[in-house]
């Protein structure tokens, strides 16, 4: 695995994570005209639910805020208040939202998504 040293490195592995999941995703462009605090990459990941749930395929909203490695000790892991508030709101609505500064955050997200598909 490549050593991550910048926020751009983290954004690249987050994009790759979505691509590997065959999810729909985009990186909102922040130009001061939109909503403050939107995650760096937002998308929908396809999951196949368990037979107990009729075996239908569903999409799960996932928002990932990327941060330069080394910011975990900062308040809110370096997220702005707006970013943190959006993360809380997405989770409250049933989606997934994380602050990511490396591979281990994506691995934890994978474990959480797997819980949806296991009986």
């Amino acid at each position: 695995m490549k050593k991550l040293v910048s926020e751009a490195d983290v954004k690249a592995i987050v994009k790759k994570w979505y691509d590997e999941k065959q999810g729909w995703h985009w990186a909102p462009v922040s130009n001061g005209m939109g909503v403050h605090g939107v995650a760096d990459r937002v998308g929908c990941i396809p999951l196949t639910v368990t037979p107990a749930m009729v075996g239908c395929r569903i999409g799960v909203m996932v928002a990932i805020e990327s941060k330069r490695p080394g910011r975990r000790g900062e308040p809110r892991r370096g997220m702005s208040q707006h970013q943190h508030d959006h993360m809380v709101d997405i989770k409250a609505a049933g989606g997934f939202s994380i602050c990511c500064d490396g591979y281990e955050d994506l691995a934890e997200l994978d474990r959480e998504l797997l819980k949806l598909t296991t009986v």
Side-chain angles (χ1 to χ4, degrees), residues 85-107:
D85 291 347
H86 284 303
M87 179 180 291
V88 169
D89 291 344
I90 290 166
K91 289 178 178 181
F96 290 81
S97 186
I98 67 166
C99 182
C100 178
D101 73 353
Y103 300 104
E104 61 275 4
D105 293 314
L106 295 175

Side-chain angles (χ1 to χ4, degrees), residues 9-72:
D9 291 340
V10 176
K11 287 180 178 182
I13 67 164
V14 166
K15 181 183 183 308
K16 182 179 177 196
W17 180 86
Y18 275 102
D19 289 340
E20 288 171 351
K21 303 288 184 222
Q22 298 178 342
W24 175 89
H25 57 97
W26 96 100
V29 176
S30 176
N31 62 5
M33 300 296 288
V35 176
H36 293 289
V38 174
D40 291 315
R41 188 155 299 268
V42 178
C44 187
I45 300 298
L47 296 176
T48 302
V49 296
T50 63
M53 299 170 75
V54 193
C56 296
R57 191 168 163 98
I58 63 168
V60 177
M61 198 281 195
V62 178
I64 302 175
E65 176 62 32
S66 300
K67 291 296 177 195
R68 174 183 46 80
R71 298 191 70 185
R72 288 178 182 242

